Amino acid sequence: ELKHGRIAMLAVTGYLVTYAGYRFPGAEDIPSGFAAWPALYASDDGKQVLAQMFLFLVTAEIANRSADWLDVEPEFVGDYRNGALDFGWDKFDDATKLKKRAIELNNGRAAMMGILG
């Protein structure tokens, strides 16, 4: 649920940005929302974009697993810091950490509902 919520939050952000009219150069004719999928599949450049998206997702999935070779134990499910990223998380007390994790989970749930319509 946490991973799907994080992806849905990114999806909602991307949907709102493209719906507002912002596009990458060369992609001005790609529609926003779910209509972008068939439009991307219709062109050779779009198929390249879809292949890049697929390879990125596979790479991200492999890189964000619990890495046995790092000797870093995740603090909680979904903790992908791997000992490298902190951004002040370790300075919070347990109650604040639990509250922030609950906020992220609820925002992810809202984003999952929002992206599905």
Side-chain angles (χ1 to χ4, degrees):
E1 183 178 13
L2 184 62
K3 187 188 310 184
H4 291 103
R6 289 174 177 170
I7 291 171
M9 287 187 275
L10 289 172
V12 167
T13 302
Y15 181 84
L16 293 174
V17 167
T18 57
Y19 193 76
Y22 294 101
R23 302 286 195 278
F24 285 115
E28 292 84 8
D29 58 340
I30 301 293
S32 61
F34 288 119
W37 292 105
L40 285 173
Y41 191 71
S43 70
D44 289 335
D45 289 338
K47 289 177 185 175
Q48 291 290 329
V49 169
L50 291 173
Q52 289 174 12
M53 288 170 55
F54 175 75
L55 290 174
F56 172 78
L57 291 174
V58 168
T59 304
E61 184 68 27
I62 291 169
N64 286 326
R65 292 181 177 266
S66 295
D68 297 332
W69 63 87
L70 286 176
D71 296 332
V72 176
E73 193 68 31
E75 186 177 341
F76 52 88
V77 175
D79 181 13
Y80 295 130
R81 292 179 293 161
N82 288 338
L85 299 174
D86 185 10
F87 300 118
W89 181 258
D90 291 332
K91 296 175 185 169
F92 295 130
D93 61 351
D94 289 339
T96 305
K97 287 180 182 181
L98 188 62
K99 180 180 177 185
K100 289 186 177 290
R101 288 177 53 206
I103 289 170
E104 180 187 17
L105 189 61
N106 288 329
N107 286 344
R109 289 172 178 160
M112 284 188 274
M113 299 309 290
I115 197 64
L116 290 176

